Amino acid sequence: MKAWPKVALGDLLHRSDEPATLDPAAEYHEVTIKLWGKGVISRGKVSGSDVVSVRRVVRQNQLILSKIDARNGAIGLVPSELDGAIVSNDFPSFEFRDPDRCDAAFMGWLVRSARFVDLCKAASEGTTNRVRIKEDRFLNQQIALPPLGEQQSLVFRLDALAEKTRQVDAHLDAVERDAEHLLVLRFRDA
């Protein structure tokens, strides 16, 4: 396998600071990020009138992380259904500088890897329950970046594997339901 060139994350990403101008009568999704690469999701909706601190807006395909839990894999891409959602300053988001250099979907897969989580740990500092990622250190971290065509090929293969995994999980759930149903019938007959 050939070595891919190393690139600083700051060469690929830049901080997004779109301020949220909230309508007191409207509702907004707030964002949270599951640990260990399990996704960026809605924490729920909040009324604009209930928001008392400064918020920012996030957009689809921005890379977002939790300052507190990035070291535990709380990092991912903003999904389309959360485009326009709001976040606090504890959830910095980043836009891709050049989509012809770094595919957002490739980065979405990369940030789920143990190696990337280690990179986030290396960019974090603090004591016990106050460990937070330092953005400047995060953006100075380097990753191996394949050419765009290879990134897209990897994404295609990983997406296909993820879909097969989803199908297997669905079949296993169906088998489990059938097994439970059969047990209920056997106990009823006994």
Side-chain angles (χ1 to χ4, degrees):
M1 180 177 192
K2 59 186 165 208
W4 295 324
K6 294 270 189 173
V7 178
L9 288 171
D11 290 341
L12 303 173
L13 306 168
H14 66 91
R15 174 80 186 255
S16 174
D17 283 320
E18 182 181 344
T21 306
L22 303 180
D23 176 353
E27 285 190 327
Y28 301 89
H29 279 285
E30 287 189 304
V31 170
T32 192
I33 309 168
K34 291 183 172 186
L35 301 179
W36 312 118
K38 301 291 184 194
V40 178
I41 61 168
S42 175
R43 178 186 308 242
K45 285 191 171 183
V46 62
S47 172
S49 63
D50 291 336
V51 178
V52 295
S53 61
V54 175
R55 295 287 195 263
R56 289 178 303 97
V57 174
V58 294
R59 298 292 175 194
Q60 177 180 352
N61 280 339
Q62 287 180 340
L63 186 70
I64 186 170
L65 59 87
S66 165
K67 282 186 177 180
I68 297 169
D69 283 322
R71 63 194 167 90
N72 297 316
I75 186 167
L77 294 179
V78 176
S80 60
E81 63 269 16
L82 292 178
D83 184 61
I86 59 173
V87 295
S88 71
N89 286 330
D90 283 332
F91 294 92
S93 59
F94 302 90
E95 294 178 8
F96 291 87
R97 291 186 185 275
D98 183 358
D100 291 330
R101 185 171 182 206
C102 182
D103 185 276
F106 172 77
M107 187 66 77
W109 279 108
L110 181 65
V111 299
R112 297 178 194 184
S113 70
R115 187 169 282 170
F116 199 91
V117 172
D118 288 343
L119 176 147
C120 290
K121 286 178 188 173
S124 299
E125 66 181 45
T127 59
T128 316
N129 294 328
R130 302 262 186 215
V131 178
R132 290 176 175 267
I133 198 162
K134 301 298 180 188
E135 284 183 55
D136 56 337
R137 284 174 56 183
F138 173 73
L139 292 172
N140 284 327
Q141 297 291 319
Q142 294 196 343
I143 61 166
L145 187 68
L148 188 63
E150 287 184 58
Q151 292 175 44
Q152 292 167 337
S153 176
L154 287 166
V155 166
F156 180 79
R157 292 194 314 235
L158 289 168
D159 285 347
L161 287 171
E163 175 57 21
K164 287 181 183 192
T165 301
R166 188 200 62 74
Q167 290 173 3
V168 167
D169 285 343
H171 287 298
L172 289 173
D173 288 345
V175 167
E176 219 171 80
R177 283 190 305 274
D178 288 348
E180 287 174 8
H181 180 71
L182 286 171
L183 282 172
V184 166
L185 289 175
R186 291 296 174 221
F187 280 120
R188 186 192 68 196
D189 291 344

